[in-house]
Amino acid sequence: MKYSTYQSIFPMNLEKMQNVRNERKAQLVRTISNSLLPKLLILVIVSWIAGAGVLTVFAAPSVPNEEVTKLIVQPGDTLWRIASNHKPERMDTRVYIEGIVRINGLEDRGVQAGQVLKLPHF
């Protein structure tokens, strides 16, 4: 038998394989740094801007002060009656009631005489 060990058969191939592996690792690092890293950076920046926009929308008051009319609830008034009398002509009364509830922070749908309600303008 001419060769007795694996290394004695392929000594040059092992060195070539290690060189190929090292070259592939270097190529992978170059690929990541040249193409993936800028894309990842752009994705992070866009996500950050979008997140800041969403937070700004939710942090802003729902209706500016100049677009609010105040009303004193009279005896016998209900949210339905108030909404029916003050809503825009083609708006659903239930939608306007939701606006009143939201702008006033009402937990229940009942109102009491003498209570001051803010009415939104749509």
Side-chain angles (χ1 to χ4, degrees), residues 65-78:
N65 290 336
E66 63 270 7
E67 294 185 23
V68 175
T69 302
K70 292 185 179 181
L71 171 85
I72 298 174
V73 178
Q74 301 300 315
D77 277 350
T78 62

Side-chain angles (χ1 to χ4, degrees), residues 8-63:
S8 65
I9 297 172
F10 300 105
M12 296 181 87
N13 286 341
L14 285 175
E15 290 175 16
K16 286 181 183 178
M17 287 174 50
Q18 288 174 347
N19 288 340
V20 168
R21 283 184 188 159
N22 290 339
E23 182 59 33
R24 285 184 184 168
K25 286 180 186 178
Q27 184 179 7
L28 180 62
V29 169
R30 283 191 304 270
T31 301
I32 289 173
S33 64
N34 289 340
S35 64
L36 294 178
L37 192 60
K39 290 177 185 176
L40 182 61
L41 183 62
I42 290 171
L43 180 65
V44 167
I45 291 171
V46 168
S47 299
W48 180 70
I49 291 171
V54 168
L55 289 176
T56 302
V57 167
F58 286 117
S62 59
V63 177

Side-chain angles (χ1 to χ4, degrees), residues 92-105:
D92 186 0
T93 305
R94 294 170 292 193
V95 173
Y96 196 75
I97 289 173
E98 287 301 319
I100 294 172
V101 168
R102 187 178 321 120
I103 197 171
N104 290 286

